[in-house]
């Protein structure tokens, strides 16, 4: 059979004519090269279309390997030793999970996923994945999270993890165990990327690859030659985050990015696409987006069969069978394959007549064939100008036999019976006696053995061991607070917003010698909203190809300047992408050895609520940097309504343990917070990140009062002590009485309502009101909880007061707190306020109106502050309860209106 005949389709009406065209094409390829051939084919298609023919675009290619056998790069190395190594890792990974689940408590774990990806990873470890070394900056590998047992098993062979650690898989509390999945928070010297939340892996890897190009273009770091590998599940590709950013990778020509999708055709419950083909579907999606797609479907032992497939029947059968069928072939064995796959056409059945059922069963899928995988990886690392995706077909639970191979239940299988363990041992030639197998010993051959020497030699050649998280970055020196002098002085008569104050702080930082290069401002198409357009020109917008056009506004001061060396990451309308960039920048200290300072500024409503899981993963990865939630507050962003008004992002923020969050009111507070953040994260190297809300309401900002910095940082300081005398004269002839007193707290925009409320209390009711600025209810709660715990567990020691309690000491009266957030926000400090405490907040959906109306509606305005204060005082008998009624009438408050959170 000629090579041309391989390509004839079974339903060809004129094979002779087809042959002539194909031969002509073959001749062009030979004489003039594939590019000329491509040109001619395009011209033919174009001609047909212009002549009126409807030629639907077909984004898929035949269901065979993309790389023709004769074009494969040949796998170097010692194949037998590699198989042995892989088998040992398979065994130890399986043993670790099964042993863990024999213990009481059944801690879970997964066997099947690693068994299906093992070959892909081992080819990577033996031949491709570079660790950072003198010669190479190191690749970044995003390993599929729930296949972590395979990574632990390898690290055990490498001597990086002990048998005791393996034996305490998922037992972390006593400090000797291993975390279930990749969590840099829990294993900071080991895992680099938190990858177990499906989908985050893919988008993070794309923005990581892009950030590496950014570092390179900005001249901060040489990242040439380094690759980002992301290993993804085929089920995982259903997540919007998996596919949502793939066009960026093409646009920015991320040829440093390689996706490997392990197409084992199954997810947790069952088949990924039982009635179709996930590989074909993904091929179409990625090709359509402009990726280099490499399909690795069939193993080498299919090659001779395909070579004999003169009529294209085998190809036709491959195309016909759907993934549900392929899964059944994997689960049911050789006889079933003969009957149901080859048996469909007598000629195909004949083709395999001299093969045993065992032979048919051993026909490999591409992802389990080291040669095919090597060839695909080699092609991917060589490819330039485009990102590459490798779609590798595998079997879920490979080698698990009756315990789950290709079965729907396999994902959650964490136990294996004696029989299945013996089969596993035989299948992978594990050298332990039959009688011992069921004890599932971990195996680590002697250092002098050929397999261990090979393991070391391969990793040494590639620069060391992976994964490993090492912080090599030099800490930075935070600027002094007086860098922000202009802000600290207050705005005098000018009315500005905290957003404007923030932008000024950022501008001041961009003039700081040591820090300016490290700043990474990130926006999701809202720079103008926040008044940051001045930075477009000043520091430029990163664009790897520079600016290929004359911007429309070229002659303006703040023109839209795109630049190869630009500093701003203008991500367009993608919060998920922007926060992925923020994570890449904020973990550069661990992944690239250089501290970067990302500021991602966004609509606070589209932050945690939109991409909370990425923020959580960012926390896990010890990301450092600033998230700036702008236009925050339920009543402060007036006009925009229900979808825009954020009254809860601070609650989201409070759920992330290493997120330090503030809701400041004044420019000087913001300056103190940002300066402190820079110091804590980059100078003292604490593993924290900052969430700060800023607003678009304009008002005057006072100068920094003396001695309040510590309070700002801790979350509470006395902003305005009441000036009323502590005693007031009683009725004629009676003794002077103490002035009734309240403590008012406020944060964000509502602090100003609280200040106004204090004035009303004093002027209209003669009540002394001290006003506190609560820059962080969340930090106050955390401090309080830790003091409370310390007191609870040290009952014999002298109890310590919380910071809130200590601050309030000597400032009498009930406490009222109000914010532009749900009541739960300020309510966080209730346990630490040892007296009557009432909280006002903005529970309910937002809606459009003026600020004043909204604050009245949500009952957080000055009048409600007064009413709440009077009511507390009345409850303890310090004022007559009639005064509360009086106030309600006086301020025309709709007491009979329904609860704002119900309407
Ligand atoms: C966002 C998210 N949803 C659900 C899960 C639970 N989960 C873990 S693995 C898995 C199935 C994964 O299937 P696939 O991506 O095909 O990977 P495989 O194990 O088959 O390699 C699911 C649903 C998760 N980890 N993250
Ligand atoms: Mg899968």
């Amino acid at each position: 059979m000629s090579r041309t005949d391989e390509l004839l389709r079974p339903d060809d009406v004129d094979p002779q004519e087809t042959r002539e065209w194909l031969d002509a094409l073959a001749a062009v390829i030979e004489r003039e090269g594939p590019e000329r051939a491509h040109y001619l084919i395009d011209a033919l298609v174009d001609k047909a279309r212009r002549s009126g023919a409807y030629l639907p675009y077909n984004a898929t290619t035949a269901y065979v390997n993309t790389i023709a056998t004769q074009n494969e790069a040949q796998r170097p190395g010692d194949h037998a030793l590699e198989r042995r190594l892989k088998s040992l890792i398979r065994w130890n990974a399986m043993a670790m999970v099964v042993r863990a689940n024999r213990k009481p408590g059944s801690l879970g774990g997964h066997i099947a996923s690693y068994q299906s990806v093992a070959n892909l990873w081992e080819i990577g470890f033996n031949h491709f994945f570079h660790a950072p070394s003198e010669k190479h900056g190191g690749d970044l590998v995003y390993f599929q999270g729930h296949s972590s047992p395979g990574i632990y098993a390898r690290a055990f062979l490498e001597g990086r993890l002990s048998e005791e650690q393996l034996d305490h898989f998922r037992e972390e509390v006593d400090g000797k165990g291993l975390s279930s999945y990749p969590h840099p928070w829990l294993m900071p010297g080991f895992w680099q990327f938190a990858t177990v939340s499906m989908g985050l892996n893919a988008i993070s890897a794309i923005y990581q690859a892009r950030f590496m190009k950014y570092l390179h273009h900005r001249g901060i770091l040489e990242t040439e030659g380094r690759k980002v590998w992301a290993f993804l599940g085929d089920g995982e590709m259903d997540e919007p985050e998996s596919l949502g950013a793939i066009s960026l990778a093409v646009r920015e020509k991320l040829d440093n990015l390689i996706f490997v999708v392990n197409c084992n055709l199954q997810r947790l419950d069952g088949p990924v696409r039982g009635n179709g083909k996930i590989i074909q579907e993904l091929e179409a999606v990625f090709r359509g987006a402009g990726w280099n797609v490499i399909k690795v479907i069939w193993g080498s032992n299919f090659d001779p069969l395909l070579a004999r497939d003169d009529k294209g029947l085998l190809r036709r059968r491959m195309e016909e069978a759907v993934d549900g069928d392929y899964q059944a072939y994997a689960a049911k064995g050789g006889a079933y394959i003969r009957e149901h796959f080859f048996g469909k056409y007598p000629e195909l059945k004949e083709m395999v007549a001299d093969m045993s059922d065992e032979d048919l069963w051993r026909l490999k899928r591409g992802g389990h064939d080291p040669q095919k995988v090597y060839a695909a990886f080699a092609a991917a690392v060589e490819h330039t100008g485009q990102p590459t995706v490798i779609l590798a077909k595998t079997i879920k639970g490979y080698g698990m036999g009756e315990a789950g191979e290709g079965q729907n239940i396999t994902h959650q299988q964490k136990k294996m019976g004696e029989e299945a363990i013996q089969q596993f041992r035989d299948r992978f030639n594990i050298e332990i006696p039959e009688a011992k197998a069921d004890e599932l010993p971990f195996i680590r051959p002697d250092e002098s053995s050929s397999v261990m020497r090979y393991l070391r030699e391969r990793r040494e050649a590639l620069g060391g061991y992976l994964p490993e998280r090492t912080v090599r970055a030099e800490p930075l020196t935070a600027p002094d607070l007086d860098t922000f002098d202009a802000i600290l002085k207050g705005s005098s008569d000018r009315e500005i917003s905290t957003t404007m104050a923030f932008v000024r702080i950022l501008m001041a930082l961009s003039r700081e010698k040591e820090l300016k290069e490290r700043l990474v401002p990130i926006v999701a198409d809202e720079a103008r909203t926040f008044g940051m357009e001045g930075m477009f020109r000043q520091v430029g917008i990163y664009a790897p190809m520079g600016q290929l056009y004359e911007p429309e506004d070229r002659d303006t001061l703040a023109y839209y300047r795109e630049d190869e060396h630009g500093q701003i990451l203008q991500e367009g309308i993608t919060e998920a992408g922007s926060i992925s960039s923020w994570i890449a920048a904020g973990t550069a200290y661990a992944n690239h050895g250089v501290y970067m300072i990302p500021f991602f500024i966004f609509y606070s409503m589209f932050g945690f609520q939109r991409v909370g899981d990425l923020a959580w993963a960012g926390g896990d990865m010890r990301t450092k940097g600033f998230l700036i939630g702008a236009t925050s507050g339920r009543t402060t962003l007036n006009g925009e309504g229900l979808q825009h008004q954020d009254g809860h992002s601070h609650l989201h923020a409070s759920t992330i343990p290493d997120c330090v969050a503030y809701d400041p009111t004044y420019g000087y507070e913001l300056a103190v917070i940002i300066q402190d953040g820079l110091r804590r994260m980059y100078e003292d190297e604490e593993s924290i990140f900052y969430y700060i809300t800023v607003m678009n309401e304009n008002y005057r900002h006072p100068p920094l009062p003396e001695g309040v910095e510590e309070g700002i940082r801790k979350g509470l300081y006395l902003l305005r002590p009441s000036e009323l005398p502590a005693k007031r004269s009683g009725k004629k002839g009676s003794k002077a009485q103490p002035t009734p007193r309240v403590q008012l707290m406020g944060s964000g925009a509502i602090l100003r309502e609280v200040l106004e409320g204090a004035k009303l209390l004093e002027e209209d009711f003669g009540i002394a009101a001290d006003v506190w600025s609560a820059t962080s209810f969340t930090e106050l709660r955390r401090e309080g909880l830790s003091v409370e715990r310390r007191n609870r567990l040290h009952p014999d020691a002298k109890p310590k007061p919380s910071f809130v309690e200590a601050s309030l000491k000597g400032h009498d009266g009930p406490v009222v707190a109000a914010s532009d957030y749900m009541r739960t926000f300020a309510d966080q400090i209730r346990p630490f306020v040892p007296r009557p405490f009432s909280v006002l907040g903005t529970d309910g959906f937002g809606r459009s109106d003026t600020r004043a109306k909204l604050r009245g509606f949500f009952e957080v305005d000055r009048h409600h502050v007064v009413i709440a204060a009077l009511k507390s005082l009345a409850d303890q008998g310090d004022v007559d309860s009639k005064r509360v009624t009086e106030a309600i009438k006086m301020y025309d408050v709709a007491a009979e209106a329904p609860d704002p959170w119900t309407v």
Side-chain angles (χ1 to χ4, degrees), residues 233-235 262 264-267 272 396:
D234 48 357
N262 175 20
N264 56 25
L265 316 185
Q266 290 182 242
R267 40 180 155 78
V272 176
K396 191 145 173 170

Side-chain angles (χ1 to χ4, degrees), residues 4 6 41 72 114 159 177 179 326 354 392 431 529 532 557 569 574-575 625 651 692 711 852:
T4 337
E6 261 178 44
I41 296 165
E72 287 171 12
Y114 175 67
S179 68
Y326 283 112
D354 55 355
E431 289 150 11
T529 314
M532 291 170 69
L557 209 57
L569 286 173
T574 165
E575 285 77 15
L651 293 176
I692 308 173

